[in-house]
Amino acid sequence: MSTSLYAWPAGETGYLIDVPETDPARVAQGLRIVAGRRRIELVDVVPGLSTVLVTLARPMPPGAFRALLAEVESEPVEDAADTGTITVGVRYDGPDLDEVAALTGLGVQQIVEIHTSTGFRAAFSGFAPGFVYLTGVPAVLRVPRRAEPRAVVPGGSVALADRFTAVYPRPSPGGWRLIGSTDMQLWDDAADPPAAVRPGMTVRFRQVA
Amino acid sequence: MLHVIHPGLFTTVQDEGRPGHAYLGVPPSGALDRGSFHLANRLVGNPSGAAVLETTVRGPELRSEASSVLTLAVTGAPAPVLVDGRPAPFDAAFRVLPGQTVQVGAVTAGLRSYLAVSGGLDLPPVLGSRSGDVLSGLGPAPLEAGATLPVGPAGLVPVVDYVCPPGVFAEPVLDVVPGPRAGWFTDAALGVLARTAWRVSPTSNRVGLRLEGAMLERLKKGELPSEGTATGSIQVPGNGLPVLFLRDHPVTGGYPVIGVVTRAALDLAAQAAPGTTLRFRVRGR
């Protein structure tokens, strides 16, 4: 069996899969399905921007892992459970809104229109529990991070940086440009799953008063 | 119930951690020196994953407010243990009566000790774990004076009296498997990693060991997009000085990982105090 996905060793029981052309969240979902069918115990499957890190409960030789990957590639995951769309209500009242307007040459209303009319893709989590990097930011809306990060970004802040947009689920330090805020609770320790937005989902923003 | 008279230098509640949630941005967390953690629980008759205290350099002073006799054990970095001021054994179980105090002093080698109590620490779990995670803030906060630690009902009568402790090494040698981004470094970099006597920086914590000693030179200079990092990853940021990720490490990182240390080596890394010299032994997988 051959596969276009390449896996690098990542410790005794892990592999880092390069996912150059396809969607890491989709490969991650495919891996869970195939591993479940073959009763291979996975500890963690972590999508990145163009990779998937897999940690297995037991070591697996590279040849066997390649065979598993080939199966993943031929696995249709259209009906995957962990997808779906979530709409987040946003007040566009962020302290960096004027700066973003200056950097992009857009008016505030144009920024709001572009941000609310785009379907973003939840690509991967990181940085903090429930912090999800949303891709699909149109080129006109791409702004660099702040030169000096804020010591505290309020929870619920909606932000832009480079190719990503995101919602800070809880107060934390952060260097992204804050364009708005939401009352929606995106992280709940007691919920299962605790994160409202998970890799593979589509996220839309809606302006609220 | 245990009452915290003094928290020690930095003491956290730890169990097996919360693996399986990394895709939501949740670090694995959990006890850093697994061998010592499991031994402490065995000595007091707990299931191997029960929550214990993980100390750093100097342990806490606690008073038993339980209604019955508790069985305790301290393992890991060797330190004097006192019950009401009298010496108690290390790496072995001992009894504490209601009202008695337990004191874990400063370590004589290594960095982290593990204090287990029969019944385990019964704090509310978060995502299935009672581990305090210093990076994400999930789980119980580090110990503070005046806090109380609920203790669960003791299960089995301890059957293990003594087990040969894993020990703490003055100059540990950590096995490392190359990859996943070894190809981003010069051919010489793995040799430098293996030859250098690395010094553990005082800025190290449960997130990772910051190491000083040599520059690991990169071949590919470009930016690495954020990708998942395994526990034990040796990540090399722009300054060329490696960081060995321990269990509270970030889920994704933006710097290349030259190698990942083995699970056994992680226990050694957990006991590598600031100033310790450690070495890496590069091996095939």
Side-chain angles (χ1 to χ4, degrees), chain A residues 8-15 54-62, chain B residues 175-179 230-232 247 259-266 283-285:
Chain A
W8 306 90
E12 293 160 294
T13 57
Y15 286 96
V54 184
T55 319
L56 300 136
R58 274 167 288 282
M60 189 184 225
Chain B
D175 281 332
V176 58
V177 180
T231 303
R247 291 187 191 277
V260 183
V261 304
T262 60
R263 288 184 185 200
L266 276 171
R283 57 169 237 201
R285 189 165 120 146

Side-chain angles (χ1 to χ4, degrees), chain A residues 183-198:
Chain A
D183 292 331
M184 194 166 163
Q185 193 182 358
L186 292 163
W187 180 264
D188 178 1
D189 284 352
D192 183 23
V197 180
R198 300 175 293 277

Side-chain angles (χ1 to χ4, degrees), chain A:
Chain A
M1 278 190 276
S2 72
T3 165
S4 66
L5 300 172
Y6 192 84
W8 306 90
E12 293 160 294
T13 57
Y15 286 96
L16 182 73
I17 309 161
D18 270 325
V19 185
E21 303 295 330
T22 36
D23 181 351
R26 173 160 296 212
V27 171
Q29 188 63 20
L31 259 164
R32 286 198 187 91
I33 294 168
V34 172
R37 192 162 57 219
R38 289 181 38 181
R39 298 184 196 286
I40 295 164
E41 201 184 328
L42 304 174
V43 177
D44 270 308
V45 181
V46 189
L49 188 62
S50 51
T51 57
V52 177
L53 177 76
V54 184
T55 319
L56 300 136
R58 274 167 288 282
M60 189 184 225
F65 192 75
R66 272 198 299 277
L68 182 76
L69 276 187
E71 223 175 295
V72 169
E73 272 197 297
S74 53
E75 180 72 29
V77 289
E78 274 76 21
D79 305 318
D82 201 22
T83 52
T85 300
I86 184 168
T87 301
V88 179
V90 181
R91 289 177 303 273
Y92 285 89
D93 57 2
D96 299 333
L97 205 49
D98 291 337
E99 245 175 59
V100 172
L103 285 164
T104 57
L106 299 168
V108 167
Q109 201 43 47
Q110 284 173 294
I111 294 169
V112 174
E113 272 164 28
I114 296 169
H115 202 248
T116 52
S117 63
T118 308
F120 297 101
R121 172 88 171 157
F124 63 99
S125 302
F127 177 63
F131 188 97
V132 190
Y133 293 76
L134 307 175
T135 57
V137 175
V140 290
L141 216 53
R142 290 181 191 174
V143 289
R145 286 170 177 73
R146 286 164 56 89
E148 270 204 38
R150 287 183 170 86
V152 182
V153 171
S157 294
V158 179
L160 283 170
D162 190 29
R163 313 174 250 186
F164 306 111
T165 186
V167 182
Y168 284 83
R170 304 183 306 178
S172 67
W176 292 27
R177 312 264 176 181
L178 309 184
I179 60 169
S181 56
T182 181
D183 292 331
M184 194 166 163
Q185 193 182 358
L186 292 163
W187 180 264
D188 178 1
D189 284 352
D192 183 23
V197 180
R198 300 175 293 277
M201 292 173 78
T202 299
V203 179
R204 293 186 165 278
F205 294 100
R206 181 173 54 88
Q207 187 173 19
V208 296

Side-chain angles (χ1 to χ4, degrees), chain B residues 243-261:
Chain B
V243 180
L244 197 175
F245 277 156
L246 301 179
R247 291 187 191 277
D248 286 0
H249 70 86
V251 162
T252 59
Y255 298 109
V257 169
I258 191 168
V260 183
V261 304

Side-chain angles (χ1 to χ4, degrees), chain B residues 16-110:
Chain B
E16 298 276 16
R18 41 184 77 81
H21 298 90
Y23 78 109
L24 302 176
V26 176
S29 199
L32 293 191
D33 176 351
R34 311 278 272 193
S36 300
F37 159 68
H38 287 135
L39 175 59
N41 272 325
R42 282 183 74 193
L43 289 170
V44 300
N46 282 346
S48 67
V52 307
L53 291 180
E54 179 183 275
T55 73
T56 315
V57 181
R58 178 178 285 279
E61 185 176 357
L62 311 166
R63 185 173 55 241
S64 170
E65 290 179 359
S67 52
S68 57
V69 178
L70 296 175
T71 304
L72 272 68
V74 185
T75 64
V81 180
L82 302 171
V83 175
D84 271 358
R86 288 180 168 179
F90 193 84
D91 280 329
F94 57 92
R95 305 279 159 117
V96 174
L97 306 175
Q100 283 191 317
T101 61
V102 182
Q103 214 177 334
V104 181
V107 300
T108 53

